[in-house]
């Protein structure tokens, strides 16, 4: 399997094992379809690795402690846990509806506070962090790669804070925040809670150790500052690179405009699935190369529905003529080869539809079994498609 690293643009090969990490949701609201795109792409990666009989460790974190959760709880006059549990349940229900394979680990921040505190202590002991009045910050000047290696425009960080914070460099980011608002925890520095960027760095250390991981990623909006700050912390402690390859998934726009609450054009996953099947949404994602943005509109949705209807019609016809329960799935190496090339889902869908066209012309049991195998690798819900 080859993945193109976002930073170096080099193809990185992964053979016997594959370890990867996907940044998960902050559970303060219903996830929109843009959130689900990353999960579907990593699900295909997961399925492909399993089909190749590679040893897989897949971690997908849940941010259940965050300012957004606290703000929502205060607004609704309930406890933070009520908010986080409500939206976590909705998220997990969506993953099930989207036929997402369960990750190896699905850790919550609330279960890892002690470990994060110890992680921050390491950064303090190594001189990469400092404490001011109960807050702890990472000193970006101490990690020489922060600007030079990643080509960060430091001007992007200036004047983005809503209040003046006393620290050595206004661009240093918080590892621990002293606060009395919302849920807080005891630490050597103050009662407070960890900064957002620290959770993923620590969880990667917890589940993968000091040698880093194979693939890390998420939506392209996480590239900076979240993932840069993750790298800074992890690599400051362990010196090894955090990930061999970074995989970023493009934005989803709606009718040529970026989805945002201010514009009122957010398409929530739960709402999309009220009108369309999960298979249609998955097809919509897979028809485009994962790095490219998708502009969702009626024509794009219609095209995805047409492709799925062709598959459904064929399977319905075959199911009436043949006892498909007696057929085994066969590995399609030609299909695998396409998908192994940086998760080339558009060409894999093209291959799939050509295979379907040929099967409609002349049914072949072997090719049919390969076709079903290919549907499974792409994660389509066969129970729904085959009415079983």
């Amino acid at each position: 399997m080859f993945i193109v690293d976002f930073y170096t643009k080099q193809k990185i090969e992964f053979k016997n094992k594959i370890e990867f990490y996907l940044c998960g949701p902050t559970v303060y609201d219903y996830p929109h379809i843009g959130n689900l795109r990353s999960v579907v792409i990593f699900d295909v990666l997961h399925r492909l690795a399993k089909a190749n009989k590679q040893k897989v460790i897949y971690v997908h974190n849940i941010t259940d402690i965050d300012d957004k959760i606290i703000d929502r709880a205060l607004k609704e006059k309930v406890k933070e846990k009520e908010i986080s549990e409500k939206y976590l349940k909705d998220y997990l229900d969506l993953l099930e509806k989207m036929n997402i394979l369960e990750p190896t680990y699905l850790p919550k921040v609330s279960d890892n506070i002690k470990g994060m505190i110890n992680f921050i202590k390491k950064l303090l002991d190594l001189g990469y962090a400092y404490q001011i009045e109960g807050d702890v910050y990472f000193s970006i000047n101490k990690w020489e790669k922060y600007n030079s290696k990643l080509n960060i425009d430091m001007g992007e960080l200036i004047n983005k804070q809503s209040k003046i914070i006393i620290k050595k460099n206004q661009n240093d980011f918080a590892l621990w925040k002293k606060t009395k608002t919302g849920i807080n925890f005891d630490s050597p520095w103050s009662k407070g809670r960890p900064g957002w960027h620290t959770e993923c760095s620590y969880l990667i250390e917890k589940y993968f150790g000091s040698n880093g991981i194979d693939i890390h990623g998420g939506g392209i909006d996480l590239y900076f500052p979240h993932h840069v700050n993750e790298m800074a912390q992890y690599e400051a402690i362990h010196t090894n690179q955090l990930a061999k390859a970074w995989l970023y998934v493009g934005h989803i726009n709606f009718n040529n405009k970026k989805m945002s609450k201010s514009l009122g054009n957010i398409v929530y996953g739960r709402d999309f699935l009220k009108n369309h099947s999960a298979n249609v949404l998955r097809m919509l994602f897979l028809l485009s190369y994962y790095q490219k943005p998708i502009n969702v509109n009626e024509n794009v949705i219609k095209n995805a529905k047409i492709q799925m209807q062709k598959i459904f019609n064929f399977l319905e016809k075959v199911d009436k003529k043949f006892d498909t329960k007696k057929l085994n799935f066969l590995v399609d190496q030609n299909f695998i080869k396409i998908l192994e090339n940086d998760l080339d889902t558009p060409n894999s869908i093209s291959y799939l539809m050509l295979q379907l066209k040929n099967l409609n012309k002349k049914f072949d049991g072997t090719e049919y079994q390969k076709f079903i195998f290919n549907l499974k690798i792409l994660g389509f819900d066969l129970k729904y498609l085959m009415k079983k």
Side-chain angles (χ1 to χ4, degrees):
M1 181 192 304
F2 294 90
I3 297 294
V4 175
D5 176 46
F6 175 82
Y7 293 98
T8 65
K9 310 305 178 189
Q10 299 295 312
K11 278 188 175 183
I12 311 296
E13 184 177 11
F14 302 100
K15 293 183 178 179
N16 299 323
K17 70 170 182 63
I18 186 164
E19 299 175 338
F20 51 99
Y21 186 102
L22 173 64
C23 285
T26 300
V27 283
Y28 77 103
D29 199 356
Y30 298 114
H32 56 70
I33 59 174
N35 303 135
L36 293 176
R37 187 184 184 192
S38 296
V39 184
V40 167
I41 294 301
F42 270 75
D43 184 59
V44 173
L45 171 65
H46 192 183
R47 290 171 179 274
L48 179 60
K50 281 185 170 292
N52 283 337
K53 301 190 184 307
Q54 292 172 279
K55 182 180 178 182
V56 175
I57 300 179
Y58 174 23
V59 179
H60 182 44
N61 69 302
I62 301 295
T63 303
D64 63 340
I65 296 173
D66 186 83
D67 290 347
K68 291 177 181 177
I69 297 171
I70 292 166
D71 290 344
R72 183 133 195 176
L74 291 171
K75 183 179 179 181
E76 297 186 12
K77 297 180 180 179
V78 297
K79 293 183 178 180
E80 295 100 310
K81 194 170 183 180
E82 287 185 50
I83 297 295
S84 62
E85 288 186 349
K86 172 185 175 180
Y87 292 109
L88 174 57
K89 182 181 184 302
D90 181 80
Y91 182 68
L92 296 178
D93 287 346
L94 265 178
L95 296 191
E96 185 175 353
K97 289 175 182 175
M98 289 299 298
N99 199 32
I100 303 294
L101 289 182
E102 187 175 345
T104 315
Y105 301 103
L106 197 69
K108 294 192 290 187
V109 170
S110 58
D111 294 330
N112 287 278
I113 300 298
K114 184 177 179 181
M116 293 171 71
I117 289 172
N118 290 331
F119 186 83
I120 294 168
K121 284 180 181 177
K122 293 179 188 178
L123 290 167
L124 282 164
D125 291 342
L126 291 168
Y128 286 99
Y130 59 91
Q131 177 194 168
I132 294 181
E133 298 179 2
D135 293 319
V136 181
Y137 297 101
F138 185 94
S139 178
I140 63 170
N141 292 332
K142 294 285 187 178
W143 192 60
E144 60 182 19
K145 297 178 183 177
Y146 198 94
N147 188 24
S148 59
K149 179 185 175 184
L150 304 173
N151 196 27
I152 300 300
D153 178 5
M154 299 312 295
E156 292 183 44
L157 287 171
I158 298 174
N159 298 325
K160 285 196 174 182
Q161 291 156 347
S162 59
K163 61 180 180 179
I164 299 298
I165 300 174
I166 300 172
K167 49 185 175 179
K168 293 180 180 179
N169 183 326
Q170 281 298 105
N171 299 324
D172 293 344
F173 59 88
L175 304 176
W176 185 265
K177 299 187 288 186
K178 178 182 178 180
T179 182
K180 294 180 180 179
T181 304
I183 190 169
N184 53 67
F185 305 88
D186 290 324
S187 80
W189 317 290
S190 63
K191 272 189 172 294
R193 56 182 178 273
W196 174 43
H197 307 305
T198 301
E199 64 183 85
C200 296
S201 305
Y202 164 67
L203 290 171
I204 288 170
E205 178 190 75
K206 175 180 178 178
Y207 290 104
F208 302 103
S210 61
N211 293 322
I213 57 177
D214 295 314
I215 301 169
H216 190 1
I220 187 62
D221 55 307
L222 295 177
Y223 152 61
F224 181 74
H226 184 54
H227 284 161
V228 172
N229 290 350
E230 275 187 47
M231 277 186 260
Q233 294 170 83
Y234 184 90
E235 295 182 16
I237 291 174
H238 298 296
T239 67
N240 292 316
Q241 62 182 3
L242 188 151
K244 295 182 180 72
W246 289 82
L247 189 161
Y248 285 111
V249 178
H251 285 300
I252 286 188
N253 300 322
F254 187 71
N255 289 327
N256 292 313
K257 293 182 180 179
K258 183 180 178 180
M259 286 195 299
S260 70
K261 290 184 178 179
S262 60
L263 294 174
N265 65 349
I266 294 288
V267 181
Y268 292 107
R270 66 202 303 263
D271 294 332
F272 188 96
L273 296 186
K274 288 177 183 177
N275 301 308
H276 312 284
S277 75
N279 282 324
V280 167
L281 184 55
R282 186 176 280 259
M283 175 64 81
L284 188 155
F285 293 150
L286 300 184
L287 281 166
S288 296
Y289 177 54
Y290 70 82
Q291 285 188 10
K292 292 184 177 179
I294 298 176
N295 179 45
V296 175
N297 53 44
E298 288 303 317
N299 288 333
V300 170
I301 296 172
K302 183 179 179 181
N303 182 42
K305 289 179 74 173
I306 289 171
Q307 307 312 312
M308 288 312 309
Q309 191 63 47
K310 288 178 181 178
I311 295 170
F312 181 84
N313 290 344
F314 168 72
L315 292 175
E316 187 176 41
K317 179 177 67 175
V318 169
D319 202 34
K320 290 177 180 178
K321 291 185 177 181
F322 301 94
D323 185 359
T324 54
K325 292 180 182 178
K326 292 183 179 179
L327 295 174
N328 297 316
F329 302 142
L330 293 178
V331 176
D332 189 339
Q333 291 298 341
N334 291 326
F335 178 84
I336 288 287
K337 189 174 180 180
I338 293 171
L339 206 52
E340 281 183 329
N341 184 24
D342 198 30
L343 297 181
D344 188 353
T345 61
N347 277 323
S348 70
I349 293 292
S350 296
Y351 178 95
L352 187 78
M353 300 314 290
L354 178 60
Q355 197 173 34
L356 176 62
K357 183 178 179 181
N358 292 333
L359 282 167
N360 271 316
K361 287 181 180 178
K362 183 181 179 181
F363 183 81
D364 178 276
T366 298
E367 282 304 307
Y368 173 76
Q369 291 173 87
K370 289 181 179 180
F371 178 74
I372 297 299
F373 168 84
N374 297 342
L375 287 172
K376 288 189 69 176
I377 296 301
L378 292 175
F380 291 111
D381 189 345
L382 293 177
K383 289 180 181 178
Y384 173 81
L385 285 171
M386 303 177 80
K387 295 184 176 181
K388 292 179 182 178

